[in-house]
């Protein structure tokens, strides 16, 4: 399955244990996040996904996000606000990274939520320092991400309840992540007698420009009609 690795320091099995990040791992992540022009447009980041499975390692993501957040709060408690800010900025970058890879719907949601969490922390720490402009900027960005999260959830609910909408997403949506998500809902909505969605699924399996979308359609087709057709 897909796994996250912080510069190869921690294996997937170690992440699954849910152990907190070490101070060395935190330092590597923070140092890596400095290789960017802004917290919202990173060019480099020392945490990356590997493997062909688009599903993320949720335990690893939560371990990294919680580690950055908790370390930041500890720095705030001891009055080292600049270090806390760097940790929170790294959390925002981590969320941005997850959100924009769009390997899976779940990862996209986790990325938005993580980025929003980091923005909220930065909003609060800057407000405590009396830096109203910076606090407002991160508060605005947090609100935008939370609104985005609601829109994403609404779009998924429509696919779950509206067969026509799911079909349109599969046929027309520009994002491979959304087309992959739509494949399963087109299958769910398919008439079990007429199997009316088979032609569309077969077309997607042959012609979709994204390999992962084609693979998703092939997988569902195998479950519906087997390997012979």
């Amino acid at each position: 399955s897909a796994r996250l690795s912080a510069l190869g320091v921690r294996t997937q099995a170690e992440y699954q244990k849910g152990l907190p990040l070490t101070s060395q791992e935190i330092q590597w992540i923070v140092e890596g996040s400095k290789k960017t022009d802004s917290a919202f447009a990173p060019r480099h980041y020392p945490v990356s996904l590997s493997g062909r499975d688009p599903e993320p390692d949720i335990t690893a993501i939560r371990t990294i996000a919680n580690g950055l957040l908790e370390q930041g709060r500890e720095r705030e408690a001891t009055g080292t606000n600049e270090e806390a800010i760097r940790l929170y900025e790294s959390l925002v970058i981590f969320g941005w990274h997850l959100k924009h890879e769009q390997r899976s719907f779940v990862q996209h949601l986790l990325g938005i939520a993580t980025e929003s969490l980091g923005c909220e922390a930065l909003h609060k720490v800057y407000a405590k320092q009396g830096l109203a402009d910076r606090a407002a900027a991160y508060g605005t960005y947090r609100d935008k991400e939370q609104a985005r999260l609601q829109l994403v959830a609404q779009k998924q609910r429509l696919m779950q309840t509206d067969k026509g909408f799911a079909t349109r997403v599969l046929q027309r949506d520009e994002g491979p992540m959304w087309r992959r998500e739509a494949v399963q809902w087109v299958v769910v909505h398919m008439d079990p007698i007429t199997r009316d969605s088979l032609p569309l699924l077969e077309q997607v399996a042959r012609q979709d420009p994204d390999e992962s979308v084609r693979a998703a359609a092939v997988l569902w087709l195998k479950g519906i009609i087997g390997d012979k057709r």
Side-chain angles (χ1 to χ4, degrees), residues 61-87:
I61 291 172
R62 287 177 174 168
T63 298
I64 293 170
N66 289 337
L68 292 169
L69 187 62
E70 290 169 7
Q71 288 286 324
R73 287 171 175 168
E74 288 180 13
R75 299 298 190 279
E76 274 196 82
T78 59
T80 51
N81 287 329
E82 289 306 313
E83 291 184 22
I85 287 168
R86 172 51 65 185
L87 287 159

Side-chain angles (χ1 to χ4, degrees), residues 39-40 88-97 115 118-119 122 138:
F40 308 124
Y88 296 149
E89 287 176 344
S90 298
L91 183 61
V92 172
I93 293 170
F94 183 42
W96 189 99
H97 176 81
E115 193 173 12
C119 287
L122 286 164
Y138 279 102

Side-chain angles (χ1 to χ4, degrees), residues 133-193:
D133 289 346
R134 292 186 182 182
Y138 279 102
T140 298
Y141 199 89
R142 172 207 60 204
D143 294 343
K144 286 174 61 179
E145 290 307 295
Q146 290 177 350
R148 185 197 302 272
L149 196 61
Q150 293 178 0
L151 288 173
V152 168
Q154 181 183 34
K155 187 172 180 179
Q156 191 195 38
R157 283 195 298 271
L158 281 171
M159 284 198 294
Q160 292 172 353
T161 58
D162 187 329
K163 178 179 179 179
F165 184 80
T167 299
R168 289 192 296 275
V169 170
L170 182 55
Q171 291 175 318
R172 303 174 189 172
D173 200 280
E174 294 181 0
M177 177 194 75
W178 281 112
R179 296 201 304 278
R180 284 195 305 270
E181 184 71 8
V183 167
Q184 66 170 316
W185 295 113
V186 167
V187 172
V188 168
H189 292 307
M190 183 167 55
D191 187 300
I193 305 300

